[in-house]
Amino acid sequence: MLIKRPTSWTLKDNQVTDEKIYQQRRHLLKQMGFIGAGALLASHQASGISLFGDDEPRFQTHALDYAEAQQQSQILTPEAKVIGHNNFYEFGTDKSDPKANAQAFQVDPWQLRVDGLVETPFTLSFDELFKFAPLQERIYRLRCVEAWSMVIPWVGFSLNALLNKARPLSSGKYVAFETLYDPKQMPGQSNPFRGGGIDYPYVEGLRIDEAAHPLSFLAVGLYGKSLPAQNGAPIRLVVPWKYGFKSIKSIVRISVVDKQPPTTWNLLAAQEYGFYANVNPKVDHPRWSQARERRITTGGLFSSNRIDTQLFNGYDEVASLYSGMDLRQHY
Ligand SMILES: Nc1nc2c(c(=O)[nH]1)N[C@H]1C(S)=C(S)[C@@H](COP(=O)(O)O)O[C@H]1N2
Ligand SMILES: [Mo]
């Protein structure tokens, strides 16, 4: 059995969650390991199938987290809000649209193609997404450019694990990502009013050293279950030090490229959304301040706390990626 060892930046569960959720999770984590793809095969839809189970435990897990040490009072955003308040314009632009419109989204079969300037291109099927690497839990803050934020327990593996398998060539300088294009399933892609004016497919990109940073994560689940469609099933990126729009959902292609790839929000409004999109309280959006954020938390459906936004969303370990760069110019 593979034991995922905690590293120096790992925090104990009870430092990051409120008491009730902590007890529930501790119970799950103690009693069960993550299970493999076996139990997921039954479903052809993205519907939150449990990734915990008692058959064939693959490995123990610790709640992995990087920077919660700085904010020990943080509380997980309740699952109902994580899966009910979403940005996924392919399914509509209101926060409640994705959940309402994505329930029939078919994610199996799926193909994730990894290609471009790599030695070993490959394709992962739906089942293979869950077996590609030992699944880890990562509790990350997600800070939307719209100034709301959540704390979400993701399940998945590091993007670097995937890149290592593909073996990028030295000519590869960036990584480009692409969401599924399927207007029959995604109403926003066929109707410009419902899709927010985006020219689909949704595309994103990272510099290759950003992509290789251990914080860059590919999520296949959240709250211990496979991803609900509205959160980007079956696999989505999570880059916690950047604004949420970088964390592209329902990915079908990851390509290593030599030039900075086009990115959806930059194409739509270049003066408002740059390529880097690092969370930065000192660089305001042209139409609103980024100094503070509304942390969506426990309590009623709309309850939230106003808190200060932190540079790199508090993930200081990425600062060296940008040494010597003017963060105002490269917003
Ligand atoms: N394909 C795609 N990916 C996307 C989006 C989208 O509209 N389409 N929205 C982004 C934005 S703006 C945010 S804040 C996050 C929201 O992720 P969540 O709904 O899981 O919280 O997804 C990002 N990924
Ligand atoms: Mo966002």
Side-chain angles (χ1 to χ4, degrees), residues 87 144-146 148 244-245:
N87 275 333
C144 178
V145 75
E146 297 162 337
W148 54 265
F245 64 81

Side-chain angles (χ1 to χ4, degrees), residues 143 145-147 281 283-293:
R143 200 326 188 147
V145 75
E146 297 162 337
V283 179
D284 287 336
H285 186 280
R287 290 183 281 130
W288 59 85
S289 166
Q290 295 291 26
R292 310 198 77 200
E293 66 199 62

Side-chain angles (χ1 to χ4, degrees), residues 31-40 50-58:
Q31 300 263 311
M32 309 160 181
F34 284 111
I35 53 166
L40 293 157
S50 180
L51 290 169
F52 296 100
D54 50 12
D55 60 321
E56 277 189 74
R58 291 202 151 196

Side-chain angles (χ1 to χ4, degrees), residues 83-103:
I83 69 175
H85 176 282
N86 302 98
N87 275 333
F88 198 169
Y89 277 22
E90 285 86 338
F91 292 101
T93 56
D94 285 348
K95 297 290 176 274
S96 57
D97 283 345
K99 186 177 180 199
N101 298 332
Q103 288 315 304

Side-chain angles (χ1 to χ4, degrees), residues 82 85-90 142 144-145 148 150 152 154 179 198 202 230-231 236 244-249 265:
V82 175
H85 176 282
N86 302 98
N87 275 333
F88 198 169
Y89 277 22
E90 285 86 338
L142 177 83
C144 178
V145 75
W148 54 265
M150 297 186 179
I152 303 177
W154 302 105
T179 294
I198 287 173
Y202 194 104
Q230 60 270 29
N231 293 90
R236 59 91 57 83
F245 64 81
K246 299 294 288 183
S247 293
I248 183 173
K249 296 178 169 180
W265 282 95

